[in-house]
Amino acid sequence: MERILLILESDDLREGLIESLSDFQVDICKPHEAAEALARLQPDTLDDTDVIDRLFARLRLRGKPRVLAILCTAVLIALRDPDYMLTKDIYPVLAKEYGSNTDAVDQAIRRMLRRSWAHREENPHIWELVFPGCTKCPTNGEFITAAALYLGKKYPSRFRKGS
């Protein structure tokens, strides 16, 4: 049986659509849940950066695509080598890869995290899950470490040390 994913803004259309699609297995979600629902339908097709991007989408990180890519790379480095040191090991790699300097990388990530933290009430559950008991905006290092730890625990076979 084929599967269909319906992304609906409201529940008003749900009943009529489900009846017309009785020959299919139908999954229904809200727009903000679409990335996660798609991942459940095809979990094996995601690469590591897709998994990190899904977490960022659930946290509703607000920032330029370039800054999101820099942060994704930082979390990926932290996942692959938990013995990293942020300013010594990660920032120089990020600065070189993205044609910037370490201070600019640090500041861009910090700005994005502050902006996203200010809007965390839009999805408080995932913030509490990744940053339990956190009452102030996490620092860059705290964010990268917590995101790497969360993903490492959620996907232990995907993110093993040295893999």
Side-chain angles (χ1 to χ4, degrees):
M1 180 178 276
E2 289 189 56
R3 293 181 84 171
I4 294 178
L5 174 63
L6 289 178
I7 303 169
L8 300 176
E9 282 287 335
S10 69
D11 295 333
D12 298 339
L13 300 174
R14 177 183 286 213
E15 202 166 305
L17 284 172
I18 291 176
E19 290 173 8
S20 66
L21 298 169
S22 60
D23 295 336
F24 301 95
Q25 182 177 351
V26 179
D27 295 296
I28 300 173
C29 70
K30 301 278 186 196
H32 66 276
E33 301 166 335
E36 190 172 339
L38 280 170
R40 282 195 308 267
L41 292 175
Q42 298 176 328
D44 296 334
T45 61
L46 297 175
D47 66 8
D48 294 347
T49 56
D50 291 332
V51 172
I52 296 168
D53 286 340
R54 279 185 34 223
L55 174 62
F56 290 178
R58 289 183 66 202
L59 289 168
R60 292 197 176 80
L61 292 185
R62 291 167 161 74
K64 295 179 181 178
R66 178 181 165 99
V67 179
L68 286 166
I70 290 171
L71 187 57
C72 179
T73 304
V75 172
L76 196 55
I77 291 169
L79 277 164
R80 292 188 177 148
D81 183 11
D83 299 326
Y84 73 95
M85 292 190 61
L86 192 62
T87 54
K88 182 180 173 197
D89 298 331
I90 292 182
Y91 283 172
V93 170
L94 296 173
K96 184 176 181 181
E97 185 172 332
Y98 290 94
S100 188
N101 63 56
T102 57
D103 291 336
V105 167
D106 176 61
Q107 189 65 5
I109 293 171
R110 183 174 301 133
R111 251 185 266 123
M112 183 182 64
L113 291 179
R114 284 185 190 146
R115 190 177 317 116
S116 301
W117 178 259
H119 296 281
R120 71 189 177 284
E121 67 277 352
E122 292 175 12
N123 198 357
H125 172 73
I126 188 65
W127 279 94
E128 182 61 30
L129 193 60
V130 178
F131 305 98
C134 197
T135 57
K136 61 184 179 81
C137 182
T139 65
N140 294 1
E142 290 169 343
F143 181 90
I144 292 167
T145 301
L149 287 171
Y150 172 78
L151 291 170
K153 287 179 184 174
K154 186 168 181 170
Y155 303 100
S157 61
R158 178 184 288 265
F159 299 115
R160 285 194 197 113
K161 185 173 180 174
S163 61

